[in-house]
Amino acid sequence: MKIKWQKKILENFDQAAHIYNANATLQRDIAWRLSKLCSQQSIPKGLWLDLGSGTGLLAESLESLNPNQEVLRIDSSKKMIDLQKSSAKKQIWDLNNGLPILSGPPQLIASSFALHWLNHPCERIKEWFNVLDNGGWLALAIPINGSFAEWYEASNKANVPCTALELPSTDDLVNSIDSKNIQHSQLIHTIQRSDGLTSLFKTMINIGAQASKYPSIKPSQWKRLQKAWPLTTNKEVSLTWLIQLLLIQK
C-alpha cells in the first residue's frame, strides 16, 4: 500500500513539474517566509539542505538571502529537480529511505510543503534533527491538521466521503523534540479562493498535490459536494490552510 501510495505521489509531481512554479503561489510565499525566518538566525555556514526541494523555491529563497551559501536540493522527482538552475547542487533521492550519504553533518536542514507527503513524518523530523551538527538548525513549513475545514464541513453536510489528505498535528510533529530546542513556532492561517470548486481543486492538480488514499468520489457525490460547499460573502468557494512554521536548534 505504501509503495503504491508513494508511486502515485511521485507520478503526480512529475506530471505537474512543468507548470508547478506558475501555480504554486502559496508554496512560494511560505518558502519565502521560512527563508526570512532563517535569515534572522545565526545559522552557521556549511552544509545546508532543502529536503523535498521540488523545483527549488525554498533553496532559491535561502540562497538569495545568503549569497555566499549554497543549498543542496534533494527530491525524488527527477522532473522537478531538472527544472532547477543548472548550477544548483542537487540529488535525486527518496526521503522515505532516510537521508542520503552526506559530506558531513548539516548546519541547516530546511523543508517546506514536503514532510506531510512522506511516510511517518514524525519519525522523519526526529531523524533529521539527530543528523544535524551541534548548534545546527531545522527549519520546517508543514500543512497541519485543522486545514481544509470547508472541505470537511461540505463532505459531512453532503454525506460524501472526504478525500482530503490527512495531515499531522503540531503536537505529534514535535513530540520527540525537547521544547527548549524549539526557537520559533508560528501558525499561518491562509485561505485560497476561487469562483468555483472545480477551479479550486484544479490548483491542487496543477502542483501535483491531488494524491489521496481514498477512492475518488462518484459524479453524483461531486455534485452534492459542490452544492454543500460553503460560499464566501462574494459567492466564492474557499479552502483554509493551517501552515506550521518551526525553527528548531540542536
Side-chain angles (χ1 to χ4, degrees), residues 47 49 51 72-74 89-95 97-106 127 131:
L47 180 59
L49 310 179
L51 301 185
L72 172 60
R73 291 106 156 123
I74 299 176
K89 295 171 62 179
K90 45 200 173 185
Q91 182 172 355
I92 299 170
W93 182 265
D94 184 354
L95 292 165
N97 297 325
L99 290 171
I101 296 174
L102 301 171
S103 59
E127 172 192 37
V131 80

Side-chain angles (χ1 to χ4, degrees), residues 5 26-27 29 59 158 180 206 218 222 225-226 247 250:
W5 166 240
L26 174 60
Q27 288 73 14
D29 175 64
K180 73 178 187 331
N206 286 344
K218 300 174 182 177
W222 172 255
L225 186 66
Q226 285 180 303
L247 290 185
K250 186 172 180 180

Side-chain angles (χ1 to χ4, degrees), residues 97-132:
N97 297 325
L99 290 171
I101 296 174
L102 301 171
S103 59
Q107 280 67 44
L108 173 66
I109 293 178
S111 183
S112 182
F113 274 84
L115 192 63
H116 59 296
W117 291 113
L118 300 178
N119 297 329
H120 313 299
C122 301
E123 294 179 16
R124 297 278 81 81
I125 284 188
K126 184 178 180 181
E127 172 192 37
W128 298 353
F129 178 81
N130 287 340
V131 80
L132 285 170

Side-chain angles (χ1 to χ4, degrees), residues 135-207:
W137 290 77
L138 187 57
L140 303 170
I142 318 150
I144 61 166
N145 184 38
S147 298
F148 314 143
E150 301 90 341
W151 195 346
Y152 283 100
E153 177 187 338
S155 295
N156 183 61
K157 185 177 178 181
N159 194 26
V160 170
C162 184
T163 58
L165 184 67
E166 293 181 4
L167 299 170
S169 70
T170 301
D171 288 344
D172 288 340
L173 290 170
V174 300
N175 185 51
S176 62
I177 305 294
D178 193 315
S179 60
K180 73 178 187 331
N181 295 107
I182 300 174
Q183 304 302 319
H184 182 87
S185 177
Q186 178 183 356
L187 185 62
I188 295 176
H189 179 281
T190 187
I191 301 175
Q192 291 181 312
R193 295 181 176 86
S194 183
D195 57 2
L197 197 56
T198 299
S199 57
L200 186 67
F201 277 88
K202 184 68 172 176
T203 302
M204 281 193 176
I205 295 171
N206 286 344
I207 61 170

